[in-house]
Amino acid sequence: MKDLHPSPFTKILVPVDIDHSEAAAAVYRKAEEIAGCCKAEIRLLTVMPGFGMPIVASFISEQLQKEIYDQCKASLENFIQKTCKEEVTYHIRIGKNWEEILKEAAEWGADLIIVYHNRHREINEVFSRSCTQRVTDHADCSVLRLRNIQGS
């Protein structure tokens, strides 16, 4: 018999800032709730800043870039081990945060992106105003903007 109520979401992309692990964990927990209802797959995404600007690239060697990437990967894997109850996939991208989130969503085929926005934290103002708004404005799939969640 055909499913009369197909799941609205099958692939949920969750960009996380592992430097702010409490907020990231709170966002993941909300994504996990939604994924559980939909039987959806979750992919975590961390975006590292790019080193492509000539002034930046001249000070950061390829070896240092690799070390930074490896540290980011280890931090993300540690976050997953401590936080994620269900199996998740992850990806690390390098570049402008909002552009890389949109690229990952398109390439992976995400049908929902869950982003975090907290008006009361200075650390999130740059991310929230530029990244979250741009992701919301330009995504080809649904975007859920979480605000002021517990743990943040």
Side-chain angles (χ1 to χ4, degrees), residues 9 11-15 101-102 104-106 110-115 135-136 138-145:
F9 305 114
K11 291 185 172 186
I12 301 173
L13 181 63
V14 183
I101 292 167
L102 294 174
E104 184 71 20
D111 43 29
L112 177 64
I113 303 171
I114 299 179
V115 292
V135 168
T136 303
H138 299 285
D140 290 331
C141 63
S142 296
V143 178
L144 174 60
R145 291 173 61 164

Side-chain angles (χ1 to χ4, degrees), residues 6 29 79 82 84 108 129:
R29 285 190 294 273
F79 172 82
K82 288 181 176 180
C84 302
W108 185 54
R129 287 197 178 145

Side-chain angles (χ1 to χ4, degrees), residues 7-25:
S7 177
F9 305 114
T10 58
K11 291 185 172 186
I12 301 173
L13 181 63
V14 183
V16 293
D17 182 348
I18 54 175
D19 288 334
H20 302 282
S21 60
E22 286 184 25

Side-chain angles (χ1 to χ4, degrees), residues 7-112:
S7 177
F9 305 114
T10 58
K11 291 185 172 186
I12 301 173
L13 181 63
V14 183
V16 293
D17 182 348
I18 54 175
D19 288 334
H20 302 282
S21 60
E22 286 184 25
V27 171
Y28 169 76
R29 285 190 294 273
K30 292 293 184 187
E32 189 177 56
E33 287 178 38
I34 294 167
C37 294
C38 301
K39 296 182 176 74
E41 184 179 351
I42 295 176
R43 173 169 289 176
L44 299 180
L45 174 66
T46 291
V47 180
M48 295 176 38
F51 303 109
M53 291 177 51
I55 190 78
V56 175
S58 67
F59 289 103
I60 300 178
S61 68
E62 285 185 28
Q63 177 62 33
L64 183 55
Q65 289 178 36
K66 182 182 180 330
E67 289 174 21
I68 293 168
Y69 180 88
D70 290 344
Q71 287 175 354
C72 181
K73 182 179 178 186
S75 294
L76 184 56
E77 289 173 346
N78 185 49
F79 172 82
I80 290 168
Q81 183 179 20
K82 288 181 176 180
T83 309
C84 302
K85 296 176 194 167
E86 302 296 324
E87 185 176 325
V88 299
T89 59
Y90 70 88
H91 198 195
I92 300 169
R93 296 183 77 109
I94 300 171
K96 289 182 181 177
N97 51 11
W98 69 275
E99 289 178 350
E100 297 305 320
I101 292 167
L102 294 174
K103 287 178 189 175
E104 184 71 20
E107 291 172 13
W108 185 54
D111 43 29
L112 177 64

